[in-house]
Amino acid sequence: MGLQQKITPYLWFDGTAKEAADFYVSIFPNSRIITVGHHTEDTPGQTGSVLVVLFELDGVQFGAINGGPMFKLSEASSYLIDCATQEEIDFYWDRLGAGGQYQACGWLKDRFGLSWQVNSSELVEKAHSDPAAGARVMKAMMDMVKIDLAALQQAMEG
């Protein structure tokens, strides 16, 4: 089965593409490994090892390639998880952040180096509909590591 969407993010790993895909699939609902491609005899010393993985996270397809050590994932690209509740934020924060690094403003880097934003776009959109409320929400968020929706709601309300 090939890719089913026009644009597909492809992630670069150094030998951990399948492990990372399995990790992500275990966290997100409606997720699965689509296919795993292996090196052939044309790649001496790597025959049979995983080259690419196509996987789906809650309906969004991704590719992962074991491309080697020359490139690293960085915060220059991140994936926003739009959460409706604090429980949902806590769920993704705890699971994706385990073994990784927690960063400011709801960002984290997982143990594979992929950056995630665990936040609520609904609250951010509401806050930005009123410039004064938006400024209060942004100020409160800048002091947070994990997003606290109740505290951001209070900041929005003044």
Side-chain angles (χ1 to χ4, degrees):
M1 173 183 257
L3 296 172
Q4 302 296 313
Q5 60 196 31
K6 187 137 182 107
I7 298 172
T8 301
Y10 245 81
L11 307 172
W12 185 287
F13 295 93
D14 183 15
T16 59
K18 178 69 166 68
E19 181 184 352
D22 286 339
F23 175 67
Y24 302 138
V25 165
S26 76
I27 294 172
F28 290 90
N30 307 311
S31 299
R32 65 192 174 109
I33 301 293
I34 298 169
T35 189
V36 179
H38 296 84
H39 284 282
T40 64
E41 59 276 352
D42 296 339
T43 50
Q46 295 186 356
T47 303
S49 65
V50 172
L51 174 61
V52 295
V53 181
L54 295 178
F55 60 102
E56 188 173 273
L57 301 180
D58 206 8
V60 178
Q61 291 184 355
F62 288 78
I65 185 167
N66 281 324
M70 62 281 291
F71 299 114
K72 304 283 185 220
L73 297 169
S74 80
E75 293 85 352
S77 278
S78 64
Y79 294 89
L80 172 70
I81 305 168
D82 186 14
C83 300
T85 65
Q86 187 65 49
E87 292 77 20
E88 196 176 6
I89 287 172
D90 296 345
F91 174 85
Y92 288 113
W93 187 260
D94 294 342
R95 281 158 187 80
L96 286 168
Q101 298 174 307
Y102 296 109
Q103 300 169 327
C105 302
W107 286 56
L108 65 84
K109 186 184 284 194
D110 70 33
R111 67 184 190 203
F112 299 100
L114 190 60
S115 290
W116 300 89
Q117 299 176 56
V118 185
N119 208 325
S120 168
S121 66
E122 180 183 345
L123 181 63
V124 171
E125 286 173 18
K126 277 196 239 175
H128 289 296
S129 66
D130 172 357
R136 290 190 304 270
V137 167
M138 288 304 291
K139 182 180 182 324
M141 191 168 65
M142 295 302 286
D143 292 334
M144 293 179 184
V145 178
K146 179 172 73 172
I147 295 300
D148 177 340
L149 287 180
L152 291 179
Q153 184 70 39
Q154 283 181 325
M156 187 174 75
E157 293 166 359

